[in-house]
Coordinates of all heavy atoms in Angstrom, one line a residue:
A1 N 156.2 2.2 -22.8 CA 154.8 2.1 -22.5 C 153.9 2.7 -23.6 O 152.8 2.4 -23.7 CB 154.5 2.8 -21.2
V2 N 154.5 3.6 -24.5 CA 153.7 4.2 -25.5 C 153.8 3.5 -26.8 O 153.1 3.8 -27.8 CB 154.1 5.7 -25.7 CG1 153.8 6.5 -24.5 CG2 155.6 5.8 -26.1
H3 N 154.7 2.5 -26.9 CA 154.8 1.7 -28.1 C 154.3 0.3 -27.9 O 154.5 -0.3 -26.9 CB 156.3 1.6 -28.6 CG 156.9 2.9 -29.1 ND1 157.3 3.9 -28.2 CD2 157.1 3.4 -30.3 CE1 157.7 4.9 -28.9 NE2 157.6 4.6 -30.2
Q4 N 153.7 -0.2 -29.0 CA 153.2 -1.6 -29.0 C 154.0 -2.4 -29.9 O 154.4 -1.9 -31.0 CB 151.7 -1.6 -29.3 CG 150.8 -1.0 -28.3 CD 149.4 -1.2 -28.6 OE1 149.0 -1.3 -29.8 NE2 148.5 -1.2 -27.6
F5 N 154.3 -3.6 -29.5 CA 155.1 -4.5 -30.4 C 154.3 -5.7 -30.7 O 153.5 -6.2 -29.8 CB 156.4 -4.9 -29.7 CG 157.3 -3.7 -29.5 CD1 157.3 -2.9 -28.3 CD2 158.2 -3.3 -30.5 CE1 158.1 -1.8 -28.2 CE2 159.0 -2.2 -30.3 CZ 158.9 -1.4 -29.2
P6 N 154.4 -6.3 -31.8 CA 155.3 -5.8 -32.9 C 154.8 -4.5 -33.5 O 153.6 -4.2 -33.5 CB 155.2 -7.0 -34.0 CG 153.9 -7.7 -33.7 CD 153.6 -7.4 -32.2
G7 N 155.7 -3.8 -34.1 CA 155.3 -2.5 -34.7 C 156.6 -1.7 -35.2 O 157.7 -2.2 -35.0
E8 N 156.3 -0.6 -35.7 CA 157.4 0.3 -36.2 C 158.0 1.1 -35.0 O 157.2 1.5 -34.1 CB 157.0 1.2 -37.3 CG 156.8 0.5 -38.6 CD 156.5 1.5 -39.7 OE1 156.4 2.7 -39.5 OE2 156.4 1.1 -40.9
Y9 N 159.3 1.3 -35.0 CA 160.0 2.2 -34.1 C 161.0 3.0 -34.8 O 161.8 2.4 -35.6 CB 160.6 1.3 -33.0 CG 161.1 2.1 -31.8 CD1 160.3 2.3 -30.7 CD2 162.4 2.7 -31.8 CE1 160.7 3.1 -29.6 CE2 162.8 3.5 -30.7 CZ 161.9 3.7 -29.7 OH 162.4 4.4 -28.6
V10 N 161.0 4.3 -34.6 CA 161.9 5.2 -35.3 C 163.0 5.7 -34.4 O 162.8 6.1 -33.2 CB 161.2 6.4 -35.8 CG1 162.1 7.4 -36.5 CG2 160.1 6.0 -36.8
I11 N 164.3 5.6 -34.9 CA 165.5 6.1 -34.2 C 166.2 7.0 -35.1 O 166.3 6.8 -36.3 CB 166.4 4.9 -33.8 CG1 165.8 3.9 -32.9 CG2 167.7 5.5 -33.2 CD1 166.6 2.7 -32.6
K12 N 166.6 8.2 -34.5 CA 167.4 9.1 -35.3 C 168.8 9.2 -34.7 O 168.9 9.5 -33.5 CB 166.7 10.5 -35.3 CG 165.3 10.5 -36.0 CD 164.7 11.9 -36.0 CE 163.4 11.8 -36.8 NZ 163.5 12.1 -38.2
A13 N 169.7 9.0 -35.6 CA 171.1 9.1 -35.1 C 171.8 10.2 -35.9 O 171.8 10.3 -37.1 CB 171.8 7.8 -35.4
F14 N 172.4 11.1 -35.1 CA 173.1 12.3 -35.7 C 174.6 12.1 -35.6 O 175.1 11.7 -34.6 CB 172.7 13.6 -35.0 CG 171.2 13.9 -35.1 CD1 170.3 13.2 -34.2 CD2 170.8 14.8 -36.0 CE1 169.0 13.5 -34.3 CE2 169.4 15.0 -36.1 CZ 168.5 14.4 -35.2
G15 N 175.3 12.4 -36.7 CA 176.7 12.3 -36.8 C 177.3 13.1 -37.9 O 176.7 13.9 -38.5
P16 N 178.6 12.8 -38.2 CA 179.3 13.5 -39.3 C 178.7 13.2 -40.6 O 178.0 12.2 -40.8 CB 180.7 13.0 -39.2 CG 180.7 11.7 -38.4 CD 179.5 11.8 -37.5
G17 N 178.9 14.1 -41.6 CA 178.3 13.9 -42.9 C 179.0 12.9 -43.8 O 178.5 12.7 -44.9
H18 N 180.0 12.2 -43.4 CA 180.7 11.3 -44.3 C 179.9 10.0 -44.4 O 179.2 9.6 -43.5 CB 182.2 11.1 -43.9 CG 182.4 10.6 -42.6 ND1 182.1 9.3 -42.2 CD2 182.8 11.2 -41.4 CE1 182.4 9.1 -40.9 NE2 182.8 10.3 -40.4
P19 N 180.0 9.3 -45.6 CA 179.2 8.1 -45.8 C 179.5 7.0 -44.8 O 178.7 6.1 -44.6 CB 179.7 7.6 -47.2 CG 180.3 8.8 -47.8 CD 180.8 9.7 -46.7
D20 N 180.7 7.0 -44.2 CA 181.0 5.9 -43.2 C 180.1 5.9 -42.0 O 179.8 4.9 -41.5 CB 182.4 6.1 -42.7 CG 183.5 5.8 -43.8 OD1 183.1 5.2 -44.8 OD2 184.6 6.2 -43.6
F21 N 179.6 7.1 -41.6 CA 178.6 7.2 -40.5 C 177.3 6.5 -40.9 O 176.8 5.7 -40.1 CB 178.4 8.6 -40.1 CG 177.4 8.7 -39.0 CD1 177.8 8.3 -37.7 CD2 176.1 9.2 -39.2 CE1 176.8 8.4 -36.6 CE2 175.2 9.3 -38.1 CZ 175.6 8.9 -36.8
H22 N 176.8 6.8 -42.0 CA 175.5 6.1 -42.5 C 175.7 4.6 -42.5 O 174.9 3.9 -42.1 CB 175.1 6.7 -43.8 CG 173.8 6.2 -44.3 ND1 173.7 5.7 -45.6 CD2 172.6 6.0 -43.7 CE1 172.4 5.3 -45.8 NE2 171.8 5.4 -44.6
T23 N 176.8 4.2 -43.1 CA 177.1 2.7 -43.2 C 177.2 2.1 -41.8 O 176.7 1.0 -41.6 CB 178.4 2.5 -43.9 OG1 178.3 3.1 -45.2 CG2 178.8 1.1 -44.0
A24 N 177.8 2.8 -40.8 CA 178.0 2.2 -39.5 C 176.6 2.2 -38.8 O 176.3 1.2 -38.1 CB 178.9 3.1 -38.7
V25 N 175.8 3.2 -39.0 CA 174.4 3.1 -38.3 C 173.6 2.0 -38.9 O 173.0 1.2 -38.1 CB 173.7 4.5 -38.5 CG1 172.3 4.4 -38.2 CG2 174.4 5.6 -37.8
L26 N 173.7 1.8 -40.2 CA 172.9 0.7 -40.8 C 173.4 -0.6 -40.4 O 172.7 -1.5 -40.1 CB 173.0 0.9 -42.3 CG 172.0 0.1 -43.1 CD1 170.6 0.3 -42.7 CD2 172.2 0.4 -44.6
A27 N 174.8 -0.8 -40.3 CA 175.4 -2.0 -39.8 C 174.9 -2.4 -38.4 O 174.7 -3.5 -38.1 CB 176.9 -1.9 -40.0
A28 N 174.8 -1.3 -37.6 CA 174.4 -1.6 -36.2 C 173.0 -2.1 -36.1 O 172.7 -3.0 -35.4 CB 174.5 -0.3 -35.4
A29 N 172.1 -1.6 -36.9 CA 170.7 -2.0 -37.0 C 170.7 -3.4 -37.6 O 170.0 -4.3 -37.1 CB 169.9 -1.1 -37.8
H30 N 171.4 -3.7 -38.6 CA 171.4 -5.0 -39.3 C 172.0 -6.1 -38.4 O 171.7 -7.3 -38.6 CB 172.1 -4.9 -40.6 CG 171.4 -4.2 -41.7 ND1 171.9 -3.9 -42.9 CD2 170.1 -3.8 -41.7 CE1 171.0 -3.3 -43.6 NE2 169.9 -3.2 -42.9
A31 N 172.8 -5.7 -37.5 CA 173.4 -6.7 -36.6 C 172.4 -7.3 -35.6 O 172.5 -8.4 -35.1 CB 174.5 -6.1 -35.7
E32 N 171.3 -6.5 -35.5 CA 170.2 -7.0 -34.6 C 168.9 -7.4 -35.3 O 168.2 -8.2 -34.8 CB 169.8 -5.9 -33.6 CG 171.0 -5.5 -32.7 CD 171.4 -6.7 -31.8 OE1 170.6 -7.5 -31.5 OE2 172.6 -6.7 -31.4
L33 N 168.7 -6.8 -36.5 CA 167.4 -7.1 -37.2 C 167.8 -7.5 -38.6 O 168.7 -6.9 -39.2 CB 166.5 -5.9 -37.2 CG 166.0 -5.4 -35.9 CD1 165.2 -4.1 -36.0 CD2 165.1 -6.4 -35.3
H34 N 167.0 -8.3 -39.2 CA 167.2 -8.7 -40.6 C 167.0 -7.4 -41.5 O 166.2 -6.6 -41.2 CB 166.1 -9.7 -41.0 CG 166.4 -10.3 -42.4 ND1 166.0 -9.7 -43.5 CD2 167.0 -11.5 -42.7 CE1 166.4 -10.4 -44.6 NE2 167.0 -11.5 -44.1
P35 N 167.9 -7.3 -42.5 CA 167.8 -6.0 -43.3 C 166.4 -5.7 -43.9 O 166.1 -4.5 -44.0 CB 168.8 -6.4 -44.5 CG 169.8 -7.3 -43.9 CD 169.0 -8.1 -42.9
E36 N 165.6 -6.7 -44.1 CA 164.2 -6.4 -44.6 C 163.4 -5.7 -43.5 O 162.3 -5.1 -43.8 CB 163.5 -7.7 -45.0 CG 164.1 -8.3 -46.2 CD 163.4 -9.6 -46.6 OE1 162.5 -10.1 -45.9 OE2 163.9 -10.2 -47.6
R37 N 163.8 -5.7 -42.3 CA 163.1 -5.1 -41.2 C 163.6 -3.8 -40.8 O 163.2 -3.2 -39.8 CB 163.0 -6.1 -40.0 CG 162.3 -7.3 -40.3 CD 162.3 -8.4 -39.2 NE 162.0 -7.8 -37.9 CZ 162.4 -8.3 -36.7 NH1 163.2 -9.4 -36.7 NH2 162.0 -7.8 -35.6
V38 N 164.6 -3.3 -41.6 CA 165.2 -2.0 -41.3 C 165.1 -1.1 -42.5 O 165.6 -1.5 -43.6 CB 166.7 -2.1 -40.9 CG1 167.3 -0.8 -40.7 CG2 166.8 -3.0 -39.7
H39 N 164.5 0.1 -42.4 CA 164.4 1.1 -43.5 C 165.2 2.3 -43.0 O 165.1 2.7 -41.8 CB 163.0 1.4 -43.8 CG 162.2 0.2 -44.4 ND1 162.4 -0.2 -45.7 CD2 161.4 -0.6 -43.7 CE1 161.6 -1.3 -45.8 NE2 161.0 -1.5 -44.7
T40 N 165.9 2.9 -43.9 CA 166.8 4.0 -43.6 C 166.6 5.2 -44.5 O 166.2 5.0 -45.7 CB 168.3 3.6 -43.5 OG1 169.1 4.7 -43.1 CG2 168.8 3.2 -44.9
Q41 N 166.8 6.4 -43.9 CA 166.8 7.6 -44.7 C 167.8 8.5 -44.1 O 168.0 8.5 -42.9 CB 165.4 8.2 -44.6 CG 165.3 9.5 -45.3 CD 163.9 10.1 -45.1 OE1 162.9 9.4 -44.7 NE2 163.7 11.4 -45.4
A42 N 168.6 9.2 -44.9 CA 169.6 10.1 -44.4 C 169.4 11.5 -45.0 O 169.0 11.7 -46.1 CB 171.0 9.7 -44.8
R43 N 169.6 12.5 -44.1 CA 169.5 13.9 -44.5 C 170.7 14.6 -44.0 O 171.1 14.5 -42.8 CB 168.2 14.6 -43.9 CG 167.0 14.1 -44.5 CD 165.7 14.7 -44.0 NE 165.9 16.1 -43.7 CZ 165.0 16.8 -43.0 NH1 163.9 16.3 -42.6 NH2 165.2 18.1 -42.8
S44 N 171.3 15.4 -44.8 CA 172.5 16.2 -44.5 C 172.2 17.6 -44.3 O 171.2 18.2 -44.8 CB 173.6 16.0 -45.6 OG 174.0 14.7 -45.7
T45 N 173.1 18.3 -43.5 CA 173.0 19.7 -43.4 C 173.3 20.4 -44.7 O 173.9 19.7 -45.6 CB 173.9 20.3 -42.3 OG1 175.3 19.9 -42.6 CG2 173.6 19.7 -40.9
A46 N 173.1 21.6 -44.8 CA 173.3 22.3 -46.1 C 174.8 22.3 -46.5 O 175.1 22.2 -47.7 CB 172.9 23.8 -46.0
T47 N 175.7 22.3 -45.5 CA 177.1 22.2 -45.8 C 177.6 20.8 -46.0 O 178.7 20.6 -46.4 CB 177.9 22.9 -44.7 OG1 177.7 22.1 -43.5 CG2 177.5 24.3 -44.4
G48 N 176.8 19.8 -45.6 CA 177.2 18.4 -45.7 C 178.1 18.0 -44.5 O 178.6 16.8 -44.5
A49 N 178.3 18.8 -43.5 CA 179.2 18.5 -42.4 C 178.6 17.5 -41.5 O 179.3 16.8 -40.8 CB 179.6 19.8 -41.7
R50 N 177.2 17.5 -41.4 CA 176.5 16.7 -40.4 C 175.4 16.0 -41.1 O 174.9 16.5 -42.1 CB 176.0 17.5 -39.2 CG 177.0 18.3 -38.6 CD 177.2 17.9 -37.1 NE 178.0 18.8 -36.3 CZ 179.3 19.1 -36.5 NH1 179.9 18.6 -37.5 NH2 180.0 19.8 -35.6
Q51 N 174.9 14.9 -40.6 CA 173.8 14.2 -41.1 C 172.9 13.5 -40.0 O 173.4 13.3 -38.9 CB 174.2 13.2 -42.2 CG 174.9 12.0 -41.6 CD 175.3 11.0 -42.7 OE1 174.4 10.6 -43.5 NE2 176.5 10.6 -42.7
C52 N 171.7 13.3 -40.4 CA 170.8 12.6 -39.5 C 170.4 11.3 -40.3 O 169.9 11.4 -41.4 CB 169.6 13.4 -39.2 SG 168.3 12.4 -38.3
V53 N 170.6 10.2 -39.7 CA 170.2 8.9 -40.3 C 169.0 8.4 -39.5 O 169.1 8.2 -38.3 CB 171.4 7.8 -40.2 CG1 170.9 6.5 -40.8 CG2 172.6 8.4 -40.9
T54 N 167.9 8.3 -40.2 CA 166.6 7.8 -39.6 C 166.5 6.4 -39.9 O 166.5 6.0 -41.0 CB 165.5 8.6 -40.1 OG1 165.7 10.0 -39.8 CG2 164.2 8.2 -39.4
L55 N 166.3 5.6 -38.8 CA 166.1 4.2 -38.9 C 164.6 3.9 -38.6 O 164.2 4.3 -37.5 CB 166.9 3.4 -38.0 CG 168.4 3.4 -38.1 CD1 169.1 2.7 -37.0 CD2 168.8 2.7 -39.4
T56 N 163.9 3.2 -39.4 CA 162.6 2.8 -39.1 C 162.7 1.3 -38.9 O 162.9 0.6 -39.9 CB 161.5 3.1 -40.2 OG1 161.6 4.6 -40.3 CG2 160.1 2.7 -39.8
L57 N 162.5 0.8 -37.7 CA 162.7 -0.6 -37.4 C 161.3 -1.3 -37.3 O 160.4 -0.7 -36.7 CB 163.4 -0.8 -36.0 CG 164.6 0.0 -35.8 CD1 165.1 -0.2 -34.3 CD2 165.7 -0.4 -36.8
H58 N 161.2 -2.4 -37.9 CA 160.0 -3.2 -37.8 C 160.3 -4.3 -36.7 O 160.8 -5.4 -37.0 CB 159.6 -3.9 -39.1 CG 159.3 -2.8 -40.2 ND1 158.1 -2.2 -40.2 CD2 160.1 -2.3 -41.1 CE1 158.1 -1.3 -41.2 NE2 159.3 -1.3 -41.8
A59 N 160.1 -3.8 -35.5 CA 160.5 -4.6 -34.3 C 159.4 -5.6 -33.8 O 158.2 -5.2 -33.8 CB 160.9 -3.7 -33.2
E60 N 159.8 -6.7 -33.4 CA 158.9 -7.7 -32.9 C 158.8 -7.5 -31.3 O 157.7 -7.8 -30.8 CB 159.4 -9.1 -33.2 CG 159.4 -9.5 -34.7 CD 158.0 -9.5 -35.2 OE1 157.0 -10.0 -34.5 OE2 157.8 -9.1 -36.4
R61 N 159.9 -7.1 -30.7 CA 160.0 -7.0 -29.3 C 160.8 -5.8 -28.9 O 161.6 -5.4 -29.6 CB 160.6 -8.3 -28.6 CG 160.0 -9.6 -29.0 CD 160.7 -10.8 -28.4 NE 162.2 -10.7 -28.3 CZ 163.1 -10.9 -29.2 NH1 162.7 -11.3 -30.4 NH2 164.3 -10.8 -29.0
V62 N 160.5 -5.3 -27.7 CA 161.2 -4.1 -27.2 C 162.7 -4.4 -27.1 O 163.5 -3.5 -27.3 CB 160.6 -3.6 -25.9 CG1 160.8 -4.5 -24.8 CG2 161.2 -2.2 -25.6
E63 N 163.0 -5.6 -26.8 CA 164.5 -6.0 -26.6 C 165.3 -5.8 -27.9 O 166.5 -5.5 -27.9 CB 164.6 -7.4 -26.2 CG 164.1 -7.7 -24.8 CD 162.6 -7.9 -24.7 OE1 161.9 -7.9 -25.7 OE2 162.1 -7.9 -23.5
E64 N 164.6 -5.9 -29.1 CA 165.3 -5.7 -30.3 C 165.7 -4.2 -30.4 O 166.8 -3.8 -30.9 CB 164.4 -6.1 -31.5 CG 164.2 -7.6 -31.6 CD 163.2 -7.9 -32.7 OE1 162.3 -7.1 -33.0 OE2 163.4 -9.1 -33.2
V65 N 164.7 -3.3 -30.1 CA 165.0 -1.9 -30.1 C 166.1 -1.5 -29.1 O 167.0 -0.8 -29.5 CB 163.7 -1.1 -29.8 CG1 164.0 0.4 -29.7 CG2 162.6 -1.4 -30.8
E66 N 166.1 -2.1 -27.9 CA 167.1 -1.8 -27.0 C 168.5 -2.2 -27.5 O 169.5 -1.5 -27.3 CB 166.8 -2.5 -25.6 CG 165.6 -1.9 -24.9 CD 165.1 -2.7 -23.8 OE1 165.5 -3.9 -23.7 OE2 164.4 -2.2 -22.9
A67 N 168.5 -3.4 -28.1 CA 169.8 -3.9 -28.7 C 170.4 -3.0 -29.7 O 171.6 -2.7 -29.8 CB 169.6 -5.3 -29.2
V68 N 169.5 -2.4 -30.6 CA 170.0 -1.5 -31.6 C 170.5 -0.2 -31.0 O 171.6 0.3 -31.3 CB 168.8 -1.1 -32.6 CG1 169.3 0.0 -33.6 CG2 168.4 -2.4 -33.4
Y69 N 169.8 0.3 -30.0 CA 170.3 1.5 -29.3 C 171.7 1.2 -28.6 O 172.6 2.1 -28.7 CB 169.3 1.9 -28.1 CG 168.3 2.9 -28.5 CD1 166.9 2.5 -28.6 CD2 168.6 4.2 -28.8 CE1 165.9 3.5 -28.9 CE2 167.6 5.1 -29.2 CZ 166.3 4.8 -29.2 OH 165.3 5.7 -29.5
E70 N 171.8 0.1 -28.0 CA 173.1 -0.2 -27.4 C 174.2 -0.2 -28.5 O 175.3 0.3 -28.2 CB 173.0 -1.6 -26.7 CG 172.2 -1.6 -25.5 CD 172.1 -3.0 -24.9 OE1 172.8 -3.9 -25.3 OE2 171.2 -3.1 -23.9
R71 N 174.0 -0.8 -29.6 CA 175.0 -0.8 -30.7 C 175.3 0.6 -31.2 O 176.5 0.9 -31.5 CB 174.6 -1.7 -31.8 CG 174.7 -3.2 -31.5 CD 174.4 -4.1 -32.7 NE 174.5 -5.5 -32.3 CZ 175.6 -6.2 -32.4 NH1 176.7 -5.6 -32.8 NH2 175.6 -7.5 -32.1
L72 N 174.3 1.4 -31.3 CA 174.5 2.7 -31.8 C 175.3 3.6 -30.8 O 176.1 4.4 -31.3 CB 173.1 3.4 -32.1 CG 172.3 2.9 -33.3 CD1 170.9 3.5 -33.3 CD2 173.1 3.1 -34.6
H73 N 175.1 3.4 -29.6 CA 175.8 4.1 -28.6 C 177.3 3.8 -28.6 O 178.1 4.5 -28.1 CB 175.3 3.9 -27.2 CG 174.1 4.7 -26.9 ND1 174.2 6.1 -26.6 CD2 172.8 4.4 -26.9 CE1 173.0 6.6 -26.4 NE2 172.1 5.6 -26.6
L74 N 177.7 2.7 -29.2 CA 179.1 2.3 -29.3 C 179.8 3.0 -30.4 O 181.1 3.0 -30.5 CB 179.2 0.8 -29.5 CG 178.7 -0.1 -28.3 CD1 178.8 -1.6 -28.7 CD2 179.5 0.2 -27.1
L75 N 179.1 3.7 -31.3 CA 179.7 4.4 -32.4 C 180.4 5.6 -32.0 O 179.8 6.5 -31.4 CB 178.7 4.8 -33.5 CG 177.9 3.6 -34.1 CD1 176.8 4.2 -35.1 CD2 178.8 2.7 -34.8
E76 N 181.7 5.7 -32.2 CA 182.5 6.8 -31.7 C 182.1 8.1 -32.4 O 182.2 9.2 -31.8 CB 184.0 6.6 -32.0 CG 184.6 5.5 -31.1 CD 186.1 5.3 -31.3 OE1 186.7 6.2 -31.9 OE2 186.5 4.2 -31.0
S77 N 181.6 8.1 -33.6 CA 181.3 9.3 -34.3 C 179.8 9.8 -34.0 O 179.4 10.8 -34.6 CB 181.5 9.1 -35.8 OG 180.7 8.0 -36.3
L78 N 179.1 9.1 -33.2 CA 177.7 9.5 -32.9 C 177.7 10.8 -32.1 O 178.4 10.9 -31.1 CB 177.0 8.4 -32.1 CG 175.6 8.6 -31.7 CD1 174.7 8.5 -32.9 CD2 175.2 7.6 -30.6
F79 N 176.9 11.8 -32.5 CA 176.8 13.0 -31.8 C 175.6 13.0 -30.9 O 175.7 13.5 -29.7 CB 176.6 14.2 -32.8 CG 177.7 14.5 -33.7 CD1 177.4 15.1 -34.9 CD2 179.0 14.2 -33.4 CE1 178.5 15.4 -35.8 CE2 180.0 14.4 -34.3 CZ 179.8 15.1 -35.5
L80 N 174.5 12.5 -31.4 CA 173.2 12.5 -30.7 C 172.3 11.4 -31.2 O 172.4 11.1 -32.4 CB 172.5 13.9 -30.9 CG 171.1 14.1 -30.3 CD1 171.2 14.2 -28.8 CD2 170.5 15.4 -30.9
I81 N 171.5 10.9 -30.3 CA 170.5 9.9 -30.7 C 169.2 10.2 -30.1 O 169.1 10.6 -28.9 CB 171.0 8.5 -30.3 CG1 170.2 7.4 -31.0 CG2 171.1 8.3 -28.8 CD1 170.8 6.0 -30.9
L82 N 168.2 10.1 -30.9 CA 166.8 10.3 -30.5 C 165.9 9.1 -30.8 O 166.2 8.4 -31.7 CB 166.2 11.5 -31.1 CG 166.9 12.9 -30.9 CD1 166.2 13.9 -31.8 CD2 166.8 13.2 -29.5

C-alpha cells in the first residue's frame, strides 16, 4: 500500500561473503526482470564473512516484486531478507 507501481523497489538480501551468493541473488532477480531493470550493490562486513546485496528493482507491477522475493527465499545460503 505504500509503494506505487511502476516504480523502484529495494530488496536487501543478507548472506555469506562469497561471490556465489551475490551471483545467486542477481540471478534470482534476473529470472523475473530484464537485467536493465535490476541494479545491484554489495557491501561486506569488515571480515568479509557476510554481505548484504541490495537490489533496486524497476518494477512495473507488484507481482514482479513478489516473484523476486519468492526466488530469493529459495536460496539456501540466504540469512535474512528485507
Side-chain angles (χ1 to χ4, degrees):
V2 296
H3 290 80
Q4 292 185 334
F5 295 93
E8 287 189 352
Y9 191 91
V10 176
I11 298 174
K12 294 181 179 272
F14 297 83
H18 57 77
D20 292 344
F21 179 71
H22 183 227
T23 301
V25 169
L26 195 55
H30 287 170
E32 297 298 332
L33 298 173
H34 190 278
E36 291 177 1
R37 295 174 51 205
V38 178
H39 297 280
T40 184
Q41 178 182 342
R43 291 181 37 189
S44 295
T45 59
T47 64
R50 309 244 189 293
Q51 68 179 310
C52 171
V53 179
T54 302
L55 297 171
T56 302
L57 310 176
H58 298 278
E60 296 293 324
R61 302 177 330 273
V62 67
E63 292 83 7
E64 293 174 331
V65 174
E66 292 170 341
V68 173
Y69 269 113
E70 287 175 12
R71 287 187 180 271
L72 291 172
H73 279 283
L74 296 175
L75 300 178
E76 291 183 20
S77 56
L78 181 72
F79 296 154
L80 175 71
I81 191 167
L82 300 175

